[in-house]
């Protein structure tokens, strides 16, 4: 029997805490950022922006009062292109009368971002505005040290790869290094880092930090993914189902550039979001902005010429890969529907699951980045934590997609653990967090690398 999904009223869960304590702050931050932005506007655009501001406050009020999750209106659906899957879900759940703090966590969270997006899409002069851009940019700017360190690493490595190529043993070691870079890039999560200092950010982005964190990777299937690449032919394609923009996207680009430069793969395909989402998730324009940021001496000021060269060189390589089609970006609307990834299957013909399945089946390896993707892969369900990964990902375990999930754990759901480990880590976490031992999986301090082949 498939277990229930986590709910926002499950006592003593991170999901309940997130809904009641973190969402209100997040919507309030959006209100504040909009007010800041409005200082630069006048006339009609100011008027429309103010309408959005007051509607955002109404949404905040709804949330705080634990109002019912209402369906989207026909008007909203038409103007903002809301996928019909949302209202279908709500119609089915109606008997239970879902409200913000009494709903499936995964649905309510995705619904919240869609509600925010509808407000912007309904005002023509703001339809393309990204309310989270301000916070994405300022956090990326704070990632300066990690960014330069990686650019320098990339520069040295590309020179070596050009000169000598690499034997398989060396390439495997590098593969693991770049997988770790991309994995821990996910730890820089804006929604968890609202109060982080520059020191905090530095401490999770450097090589030393990764080395220290190696023991925190509690499931590590990276060698199985390596086998796939080793067996791959000259047309190997690797896909990334992206998560956050900023430092994480940068780390993903480093991994992609390594795969391309080392000739392990011919092409990388990035799958991003079509609307501003989960605060920090990557849109196509975020990729373009990131490349601009790297070249911009005002964004990343450094007197050191080697660092400047490394940043420029990396930006140039990325632009070259994009121009040559070795790096592509796609933003299928499926990724921002409320459907979980059990729907990535030929049988899901209504909301884009079959189309995405077809696309991903053409890839040799699909890397799912981050926590939300992990929640969607496992359906965000109350699985016993020793449940085999292949069971928790449902149809994807056998419908022709080879995948690797790189996740720093930031939610209650956790599967694939060896017997006894959850108990041990819960006890450990309990010492400093009385009554909350099982929340170790929500702390962002542990990680998993979980693989499934396309049998
Ligand atoms: O901290 C919880 C959370 O906000 C979840 O709602 C979501 O799964 C996650 O963080 C977002 O993290 P990521 O960017 O890694 O998907
Ligand atoms: Mg995210």
């Amino acid at each position: 029997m498939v277990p229930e999904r986590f709910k926002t009223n499950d006592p003593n869960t991170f999901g309940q805490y997130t809904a009641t304590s973190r969402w209100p702050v997040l919507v309030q931050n959006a209100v504040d950022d909009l007010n800041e932005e409005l200082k630069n506007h006048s006339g009609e655009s100011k008027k429309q922006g103010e309408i959005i501001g007051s509607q955002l406050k109404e949404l905040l009020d709804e949330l705080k009062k634990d109002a019912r999750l209402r369906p989207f209106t026909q008007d909203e659906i038409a103007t903002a292109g809301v996928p019909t899957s949302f209202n279908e879900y709500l119609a089915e759940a109606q008997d239970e009368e879902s409200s913000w703090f009494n709903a499936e966590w995964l649905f309510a969270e995705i619904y919240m971002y869609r509600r925010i997006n509808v407000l912007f899409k309904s005002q023509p002069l703001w339809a393309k505005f990204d309310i989270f851009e301000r916070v994405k940019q300022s956090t990326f700017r704070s990632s300066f040290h990690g960014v330069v360190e990686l650019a320098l690493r990339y520069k040295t490595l590309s020179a070596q790869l050009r000169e000598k190529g690499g034997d398989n043993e060396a390439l495997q070691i590098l593969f693991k290094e770049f997988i770790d870079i991309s994995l821990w890039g996910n730890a820089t999560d804006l929604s968890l880092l609202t109060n982080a200092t520059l020191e905090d950010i530095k401490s999770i982005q450097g090589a030393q930090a990764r080395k220290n964190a190696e023991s925190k990777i509690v499931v590590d299937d990276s060698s199985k993914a390596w086998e796939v690449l080793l067996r791959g032919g000259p047309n190997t394609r690797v896909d990334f189902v992206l998560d956050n923009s900023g430092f994480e996207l940068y780390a993903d680009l480093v991994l992609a550039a390594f795969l391309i430069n080392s000739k392990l793969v011919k092409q990388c395909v990035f799958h991003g979001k079509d609307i501003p989402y989960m605060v920090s998730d990557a849109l196509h324009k975020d990729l373009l902005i990131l490349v601009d940021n790297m070249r911009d001496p005002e964004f990343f000021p450094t007197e050191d010429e080697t660092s400047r060269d490394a940043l420029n060189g990396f930006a140039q390589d990325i632009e070259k890969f994009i121009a040559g089609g070795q790096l592509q970006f796609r933003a299928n609307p499926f990724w921002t529907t409320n459907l979980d990834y059990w729907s990535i299957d030929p049988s899901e013909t209504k909301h884009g699951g079959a189309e995405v399945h077809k696309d991903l089946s053409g890839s040799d390896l699909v890397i799912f980045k981050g926590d939300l993707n992990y929640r969607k892969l496992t359906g965000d369900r109350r699985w016993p934590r020793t449940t085999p990964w292949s069971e928790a990902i449902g149809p994807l375990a056998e419908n022709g997609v080879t995948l690797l999930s790189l996740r720093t754990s930031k939610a209650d759901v956790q599967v694939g653990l060896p017997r006894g480990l959850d108990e041990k880590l819960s006890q450990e976490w309990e010492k400093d967090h009385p009554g909350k031992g099982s929340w170790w999986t929500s702390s962002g301090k542990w990680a998993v690398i979980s693989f499934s082949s396309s049998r």
Side-chain angles (χ1 to χ4, degrees):
M1 253 268 287
V2 176
E4 299 274 290
R5 294 181 206 274
F6 279 100
K7 294 191 69 184
T8 52
N9 61 351
D10 284 333
N12 199 23
T13 57
F14 187 66
Q16 182 193 40
Y17 165 73
T18 290
T20 52
S21 301
R22 295 172 66 225
W23 291 350
V25 175
L26 194 149
V27 180
Q28 182 62 53
N29 287 348
V31 171
D32 296 345
D33 280 350
L34 180 62
N35 283 337
E36 221 22 61
E37 175 66 25
L38 277 171
K39 291 181 185 159
N40 311 322
H41 292 251
S42 58
E44 181 57 21
S45 111
K46 183 160 186 161
K47 215 167 99 194
Q48 291 184 12
E50 284 169 349
I51 297 177
I52 301 172
S54 68
Q55 290 173 336
L56 271 176
K57 282 190 211 136
E58 281 166 28
L59 178 64
L60 180 57
D61 224 40
E62 265 185 47
L63 186 59
K64 286 185 180 161
K65 285 195 194 130
D66 188 20
R68 188 176 73 94
L69 300 185
R70 66 154 175 86
F72 290 96
T73 64
Q74 285 313 311
D75 222 29
E76 288 174 329
I77 292 173
T79 346
V82 180
T84 50
S85 57
F86 285 92
N87 278 4
E88 284 170 15
Y89 173 97
L90 285 169
E92 267 174 40
Q94 218 168 31
D95 303 342
E96 297 169 30
E97 272 295 289
S98 302
S99 65
W100 287 100
F101 306 144
N102 176 19
E104 289 183 346
W105 175 18
L106 186 63
F107 177 81
E109 190 156 51
I110 290 167
Y111 170 85
M112 176 176 71
Y113 287 97
R114 188 57 74 162
R115 287 284 304 274
I116 295 174
N117 183 248
V118 163
L119 303 184
F120 285 89
K121 286 254 176 71
S122 303
Q123 303 300 327
L125 296 175
W126 290 80
K128 293 222 165 90
F129 183 77
D130 177 0
I131 184 64
F132 305 121
E133 186 161 311
R134 196 175 281 267
V135 60
K136 286 191 246 192
Q137 281 282 280
S138 83
T139 316
F140 189 46
R141 199 189 286 268
S142 323
S143 306
F144 174 70
H145 290 275
V147 168
V148 170
E149 186 181 319
L150 277 189
L152 290 168
R153 179 80 188 96
Y154 175 77
K155 187 178 171 191
T156 319
L157 187 79
S158 327
Q160 283 166 0
L161 283 173
R162 258 196 312 273
E163 276 163 32
K164 300 191 209 132
D167 58 66
N168 283 347
E169 206 179 319
L171 285 180
Q172 181 173 5
I173 293 169
L174 289 171
F175 174 71
K176 174 64 174 137
E177 177 182 342
F178 286 104
I179 284 284
D180 282 1
I181 287 171
S182 170
L183 167 70
W184 291 110
N186 178 245
T188 321
D189 177 343
L190 300 191
S191 61
L192 284 176
L193 277 183
T194 32
N195 298 314
T197 62
L198 198 57
E199 280 309 307
D200 293 336
I201 293 179
K202 259 201 286 187
S203 75
I204 53 177
Q205 290 182 342
Q208 189 56 43
R210 276 194 307 280
K211 202 159 162 228
N212 299 343
E214 197 56 33
S215 66
K216 303 278 187 186
I217 303 176
V218 292
V219 173
D220 185 355
D221 290 341
S222 51
S223 59
K224 296 182 188 159
W226 168 252
E227 294 295 323
V228 171
L229 295 187
L230 205 55
R231 282 197 310 269
N235 293 322
T236 302
R237 166 179 149 193
V238 171
D239 286 37
F240 291 66
V241 179
L242 295 175
D243 185 5
N244 303 313
S245 90
F247 189 75
E248 180 170 2
L249 177 59
Y250 178 76
D252 297 338
L253 285 167
V254 172
L255 171 59
F258 159 71
L259 293 173
I260 295 169
N261 280 334
S262 62
K263 306 207 168 46
L264 284 164
V265 318
K266 185 175 182 198
Q267 187 188 44
C268 288
V269 180
F270 279 14
H271 301 270
K273 305 299 190 298
D274 62 337
I275 60 167
Y277 193 66
M278 298 277 156
V279 184
S280 36
D281 282 18
L283 301 158
H284 186 221
K285 58 102 184 149
D286 293 324
L287 171 63
L288 307 179
I289 292 176
L290 184 144
V291 177
D292 281 350
N293 291 159
M294 287 174 62
R295 289 189 184 286
D296 181 355
E298 278 179 25
F299 193 86
F300 284 141
T302 170
E303 299 287 302
D304 177 45
E305 259 182 52
T306 322
S307 302
R308 173 60 35 223
D309 279 358
L311 289 171
N312 286 340
F314 184 50
Q316 201 176 355
D317 274 12
I318 296 305
E319 281 168 342
K320 192 179 73 192
F321 296 148
I322 294 174
Q326 288 143 295
L327 181 60
Q328 295 192 5
F329 192 101
R330 296 178 194 163
N332 193 301
F334 173 82
W335 301 115
T336 57
T337 66
N338 53 299
L339 272 62
D340 70 32
Y341 298 162
W342 285 40
S343 295
I344 301 181
D345 190 74
S347 61
E348 203 298 303
T349 51
K350 210 167 165 197
H351 302 297
E355 190 190 323
V356 165
H357 176 265
K358 189 164 173 232
D359 189 9
L360 300 187
S361 303
S363 177
D364 295 275
L365 180 68
V366 184
I367 300 178
F368 285 85
K369 292 297 318 287
D371 190 73
L372 180 73
N373 279 327
Y374 186 92
R375 288 172 62 200
K376 284 190 157 191
L377 283 163
T378 56
D380 206 33
R381 293 177 184 277
R382 307 177 65 92
W383 300 104
R385 288 179 169 174
T386 48
T387 306
W389 171 242
S390 57
E391 183 182 340
I393 63 174
L396 271 179
E398 46 196 23
N399 69 12
V401 177
T402 298
L403 66 93
L404 186 71
S405 164
L406 301 183
R407 175 227 196 185
T408 61
S409 306
K410 301 176 221 162
D412 301 288
V413 60
Q414 179 66 58
V415 298
L417 298 183
R419 206 166 284 284
L421 186 60
D422 181 42
E423 291 76 359
K424 178 171 167 275
L425 294 178
S426 294
Q427 264 174 22
E428 195 179 304
W429 194 249
E430 178 77 27
K431 280 188 210 142
D432 292 327
H433 307 86
K436 300 205 164 6
S438 68
W439 287 33
W440 69 268
T441 62
S442 303
S443 65
K445 306 244 180 283
W446 279 269
V448 291
I449 302 179
S450 298
F451 174 85
S452 167
S453 81
S454 63
R455 271 165 303 126

